[in-house]
Amino acid sequence: MDRFSSTTLLPDTFSSTRDDLTEQLTIIWEQIKAPLIVPLLRIAVFLCLLMSILLFVERVYMGIVITLVKTFGRKPDKRYKWESLKDDVELGNSSYPMVLVQIPMYNEREVYQLSIGAACGLSWPTDRIIIQVLDDSTDPIIKNLVSMECQRWASKGINIKYEIRDNRNGYKAGALKEGLKHSYVKQCDYVAIFDADFQPEPDFLWRTIPFLVHNPELGLVQARWKFVNADECLMTRMQEMSLDYHFTVEQEVGSSTYAFFGFNGTAGVWRIAAIDEAGGWKDRTTVEDMDLAVRASLKGWKFLYLSALKVKNELPSTFKAYRYQQHRWSCGPANLFRKMFMEIITNRKVSLWKKIHVIYSFFFVRKVVAHIVTFVFYCVVLPATVLVPEVEVPKWGAVYIPSIITVLNAVGTPRSLHLIIFWILFENVMSLHRTKATFIGLLEAGRVNEWIVTEKLGDVLKIKSAIKAFKKPRFRLGDRLHLLELATGAYLFFCGCYDIAFGKNHYFLYLFIQAFAFFIMGFGYVGTFVPNS
């Protein structure tokens, strides 16, 4: 009996200590909740609801505008003069403008042949076009391969220039800027830019250059992207849904109403005079394309978006590559907003309405609010109300507005509407990194100028074989585990359990599903799921 009592003494002590600790934590929580947590959470809910309304109004507005544009709006060739360029018997080919085609690349082993071949295949008088390959590769083997490919096309009579630098200063912006300094560029009127994975159709220049020739106020003609690997896995389908909204709605609305939108960095043709007047390429942010577009717009240049002209390219097919890309795409605009805010305000060449559009709609709502509210509201504040039942979120803010915004965002890709639940979960998880990158850009913190080239895998067959090879990688803990996603997933899971046990909000189903999504992406498995066509 004595022995039995002694064996039960230790567990009883532990149990007593545990109960005391739980009781103490409960007392501390109750003491700070009413005077501190509740007011702060109510402020957070108010700010999130305000941002949700701003985003909702923006989405509805663009939805109305794009509906009117599609229903009553005139096509680009009706809004701007467009006439096919014709041969001149007396002048010959000299009647055609001189066009420079720039292809910036960096260690592009898988796609250099595709991009160079597509550029050299453009249908334009051979003596009126210059193909310029800007190779910043650091791998001597790849650099040699690209050089040999350029020589091969040169032997076929193509006017192709292979340009290299002894450094990577300014990254892509630096390469493009250096490329325009060569003496042979002075004879060029326009420059078409294609990233290394872009494959324009042969008639690309015939469909874009006439707009610039006949409309001297146009500084840029932008084409739409067409994704060759959208059906590769669930992650690429989610990317397609997000980008299709950008191209179907945002770019079209900007072009139709304000003649301004953000240059996508590729698949576009610039008037070189517009680049020069805007101050040329700058490497002060990781979105050199958007930087140039905003500066050119402030000089009075107009932009035209051609939704019917599509250029094939590749989506990131690994989660690691996509994370790096999204960091750059979220951090760069926020940092550019910080740098150009006063420059836009004090500009005298554009109207007040256009300034409001650029500052409020283009930058603040789309590049800042959209990222922050998605993560902070739906993944932090809303779950927190489960732990603090004194704070309530109105149903219109928690259900109705998000539902309408989601539907408006998803209409750009009708074929993927059956995947909308997966897309919501995917976007919520990615909003974690976009929010972090946005604050880094606004505050100019550590990784503000981080530039990592998005990995490209080549055409569809190469992608499929590459993904099969990736399915059995050697497990590396640091590359596979993403602690931020796992921590957020744990928080959501805890809130879901608390909601079942003590809560009254009944968000537990959403919380568990969203937590599962964070766990899945936290373990790096998102790219392995193949969607139904």
Side-chain angles (χ1 to χ4, degrees):
M1 184 68 179
D2 292 339
R3 186 179 60 177
F4 177 79
S5 299
S6 63
T7 57
T8 59
L9 180 61
L10 191 59
D12 288 343
T13 302
F14 273 151
S15 176
S16 177
T17 303
R18 183 190 60 191
D19 292 341
D20 291 342
L21 180 60
T22 302
E23 184 177 353
Q24 290 176 3
L25 291 176
T26 302
I27 293 173
I28 293 173
W29 169 251
E30 291 299 330
Q31 287 178 340
I32 66 172
K33 184 171 69 170
L36 181 62
I37 303 299
V38 172
L40 288 177
L41 188 56
R42 282 175 177 161
I43 293 173
V45 168
F46 172 78
L47 292 176
C48 288
L49 290 176
L50 179 61
M51 288 190 289
S52 295
I53 293 172
L54 295 179
L55 186 61
F56 170 76
V57 172
E58 175 72 8
R59 291 293 188 264
V60 171
Y61 163 74
M62 287 198 292
I64 294 173
V65 172
I66 197 64
T67 301
L68 295 176
V69 168
K70 296 295 184 182
T71 305
F72 305 106
R74 294 181 298 169
K75 295 182 179 180
D77 58 345
K78 301 298 182 181
R79 289 187 286 122
Y80 293 95
K81 183 179 179 180
W82 190 95
E83 291 181 4
S84 177
L85 300 180
K86 300 179 181 178
D87 294 334
D88 189 301
V89 177
E90 297 181 359
L91 298 177
N93 285 344
S94 61
S95 63
Y96 294 94
M98 197 74 178
V99 179
L100 175 70
V101 178
Q102 289 185 314
I103 310 174
M105 57 177 57
Y106 172 74
N107 293 337
E108 306 289 0
R109 180 189 294 271
E110 301 293 345
V111 296
Y112 74 92
Q113 287 181 311
L114 290 173
S115 58
I116 294 175
C120 292
L122 288 171
S123 175
W124 197 255
T126 54
D127 59 339
R128 306 300 292 171
I129 185 173
I130 302 174
I131 310 298
Q132 187 184 66
V133 178
L134 304 170
D135 189 12
D136 275 358
S137 298
T138 54
D139 188 326
I141 296 177
I142 297 177
K143 184 175 290 189
N144 185 57
L145 290 173
V146 176
S147 177
M148 292 174 58
E149 183 70 9
C150 292
Q151 293 175 18
R152 187 173 74 86
W153 282 102
S155 66
K156 296 182 179 181
I158 299 298
N159 188 3
I160 185 169
K161 308 290 185 181
Y162 177 68
E163 306 291 356
I164 60 175
R165 301 187 293 165
D166 57 4
N167 59 71
R168 287 192 68 213
N169 293 342
Y171 302 107
K172 179 181 175 182
L176 294 171
K177 183 177 182 178
E178 192 70 24
L180 293 177
K181 292 180 179 180
H182 294 281
S183 58
Y184 57 81
V185 176
K186 294 180 180 179
Q187 59 184 313
C188 299
D189 302 300
Y190 311 106
V191 54
I193 303 171
F194 300 103
D195 281 351
D197 59 317
F198 278 71
Q199 305 166 52
E201 296 296 329
D203 64 346
F204 179 87
L205 296 178
W206 292 110
R207 298 175 66 178
T208 54
I209 296 296
F211 282 109
L212 293 164
V213 170
H214 298 304
N215 302 275
E217 73 275 19
L218 283 179
L220 165 68
V221 176
Q222 171 75 59
R224 181 173 175 170
W225 297 1
K226 179 181 179 181
F227 312 111
V228 298
N229 63 329
D231 292 328
E232 197 59 42
C233 62
L234 184 59
M235 188 183 71
T236 53
R237 282 289 282 270
M238 302 300 99
Q239 292 178 64
E240 181 192 38
M241 293 179 71
S242 300
L243 288 171
D244 274 353
Y245 177 81
H246 169 69
F247 286 108
T248 303
V249 179
E250 291 181 344
Q251 297 292 75
E252 190 72 77
V253 169
S255 176
S256 301
T257 57
Y258 307 99
F260 167 76
F261 48 82
F263 174 46
N264 295 124
T266 179
V269 185
W270 275 95
R271 189 186 301 273
I272 294 181
I275 296 178
D276 293 338
E277 187 179 353
W281 293 100
K282 294 184 179 181
D283 59 356
R284 56 182 176 174
T285 70
T286 57
V287 284
E288 73 293 325
D289 43 13
M290 185 182 295
D291 187 352
L292 177 61
V294 174
R295 285 185 282 114
S297 178
L298 294 179
K299 293 293 183 180
W301 291 99
K302 295 182 179 180
F303 305 157
L304 174 63
Y305 172 66
L306 301 178
S307 60
L309 179 59
K310 300 179 181 180
V311 180
K312 293 187 292 185
N313 71 296
E314 178 184 325
L315 292 164
S317 54
T318 66
F319 188 39
K320 181 179 180 180
Y322 184 60
R323 279 162 54 98
Y324 283 132
Q325 182 200 69
Q326 291 303 296
H327 174 84
R328 189 172 75 248
W329 285 7
S330 301
C331 178
N335 189 232
L336 182 63
F337 182 38
R338 171 193 173 113
K339 292 180 183 296
M340 294 203 68
F341 180 79
M342 290 307 301
E343 185 177 343
I344 298 170
I345 290 290
T346 57
N347 183 274
R348 297 182 179 181
K349 286 192 175 182
V350 298
S351 65
L352 176 63
W353 182 245
K354 192 168 187 177
K355 290 181 184 180
I356 294 174
H357 166 69
V358 174
I359 291 176
Y360 172 76
S361 179
F362 181 77
F363 273 119
F364 181 65
V365 176
R366 298 186 207 171
K367 312 301 182 185
V368 178
V369 168
H371 301 326
I372 294 176
V373 72
T374 303
F375 175 68
V376 174
F377 189 27
Y378 304 121
C379 301
V380 178
V381 172
L382 196 62
T385 60
V386 171
L387 307 177
V388 187
E390 294 88 345
V391 180
E392 295 184 359
V393 178
K395 185 174 290 187
W396 59 265
V399 180
Y400 300 146
I401 282 183
S403 299
I404 296 174
I405 291 175
T406 299
V407 171
L408 292 175
N409 281 344
V411 294
T413 316
R415 78 185 189 99
S416 296
L417 285 177
H418 64 291
L419 298 173
I420 193 169
I421 299 299
F422 296 100
W423 179 73
I424 294 172
L425 299 174
F426 179 78
E427 285 293 293
N428 283 353
V429 175
M430 290 309 304
S431 69
L432 164 63
H433 296 284
R434 292 174 184 145
T435 299
K436 182 181 70 172
T438 298
F439 280 114
I440 289 175
L442 290 173
L443 301 176
E444 289 199 332
R447 295 172 59 197
V448 65
N449 291 317
E450 181 184 67
W451 182 283
I452 297 177
V453 176
T454 304
E455 179 187 26
K456 306 172 187 71
L457 299 176
D459 58 30
V460 175
L461 293 177
K462 288 184 179 180
I463 295 171
K464 288 183 177 180
S465 62
I467 287 181
K468 288 179 181 179
F470 287 158
K471 284 187 176 180
K472 295 181 180 179
R474 185 171 62 181
F475 183 79
R476 296 181 62 184
L477 188 65
D479 290 342
R480 196 63 180 268
L481 293 181
H482 305 294
L483 298 182
L484 283 177
E485 285 94 336
L486 294 176
T488 306
Y491 165 72
L492 292 167
F493 184 78
F494 171 76
C495 291
C497 293
Y498 188 93
D499 194 24
I500 289 179
F502 309 105
K504 61 178 182 178
N505 293 328
H506 306 299
Y507 295 148
F508 60 88
L509 183 60
Y510 159 76
L511 294 171
F512 285 145
I513 294 175
Q514 188 64 71
F516 179 72
F518 271 97
F519 286 139
I520 287 292
M521 296 177 73
F523 285 109
Y525 288 110
V526 64
T528 64
F529 294 97
V530 179
N532 295 321
S533 298

